[in-house]
């Protein structure tokens, strides 16, 4: 489980996850580029994309959206852009508004096996996840500043 307090209202943070114009702009670790092949953010929809790392390595990805509760929760399967990826995992993202108007974003990943979970951790998934949440925070905080200014 990873969490991050974001200095922006919950609706704005949620929209950064569900707006096809914004999700590809911030999603992923530092130094990675996102190339969207298809994006349909609705229950049953999917986002197919390629991460290109700083070293030029390319990683295909597919998210299939399972549950969307506006401003509260997203649930999706995430894996390689292949059918029946045995390493795909389920992700639950929750958005909790604090009294001060900031939002706590919490990511939970549920892997198919303990071995897959440990392999992800060994690969650096925790640090990469923190980088992704940091990019989210910068993206929505910049949008909030622009809207306020």
């Amino acid at each position: 489980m990873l969490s991050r307090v974001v200095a922006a209202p919950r609706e704005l943070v949620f929209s950064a996850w569900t707006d096809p114009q914004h999700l590809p702009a911030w999603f992923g670790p530092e130094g990675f580029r996102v190339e969207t092949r298809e994006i349909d953010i609705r229950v049953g929809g999917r986002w197919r994309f390629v991460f290109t790392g700083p070293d030029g390595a390319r990683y295909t990805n597919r998210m299939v959206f399972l549950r969307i509760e506006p401003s509260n929760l997203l649930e999706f399967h995430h894996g390689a852009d292949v059918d029946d990826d045995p390493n795909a995992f389920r992700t639950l993202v929750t958005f909790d508004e604090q009294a001060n108007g900031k939002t706590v974003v919490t990511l939970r990943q549920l892997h198919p096996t303990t071995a897959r979970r440990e392999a992800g951790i060994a690969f650096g998934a925790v640090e990469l996840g923190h980088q992704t949440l940091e990019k989210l925070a910068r993206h929505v905080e910049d949008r909030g500043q622009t809207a306020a200014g």
Side-chain angles (χ1 to χ4, degrees):
M1 180 176 78
L2 304 174
S3 63
R4 171 83 160 73
V5 176
V6 178
R10 179 170 61 177
E11 290 76 17
L12 180 60
V13 179
F14 184 82
S15 75
W17 278 90
T18 57
D19 183 328
Q21 297 295 315
H22 291 280
L23 182 57
W26 65 265
F27 189 81
E30 292 294 340
F32 281 72
R33 287 190 342 261
V34 174
E35 173 190 330
T36 295
R37 293 183 170 171
E38 171 188 357
I39 190 165
D40 183 10
I41 304 172
R42 63 178 173 80
V43 173
R46 62 187 184 177
W47 180 28
R48 296 175 52 240
F49 60 99
V50 177
F51 272 143
T52 302
D55 62 357
R58 294 171 57 84
Y59 307 91
T60 67
N61 285 262
R62 182 187 301 174
M63 289 182 183
V64 177
F65 297 93
L66 305 172
R67 189 165 45 143
I68 300 173
E69 295 176 11
S71 299
N72 292 313
L73 177 142
L74 282 175
E75 183 176 3
F76 51 87
H77 274 115
H78 188 172
D81 191 15
V82 297
D83 292 336
D84 302 317
D85 177 7
N87 298 318
F89 53 91
R90 193 173 69 195
T91 300
L92 187 66
V93 185
T94 56
F95 305 83
D96 295 296
E97 190 168 47
Q98 296 186 148
N100 62 3
K102 295 179 181 180
T103 303
V104 179
V105 179
T106 304
L107 274 73
R108 293 173 180 87
Q109 292 184 350
L110 303 153
H111 291 268
T113 65
T114 301
R116 286 301 315 146
R117 179 183 179 277
E118 290 171 356
I121 291 169
F123 176 74
V126 173
E127 176 56 31
L128 299 175
H130 283 298
Q131 290 176 20
T132 298
L133 289 177
E134 175 61 28
K135 286 176 62 182
L136 166 66
R138 285 195 314 262
H139 181 79
V140 296
E141 290 166 6
D142 289 347
R143 284 177 65 197
Q145 293 293 326
T146 301

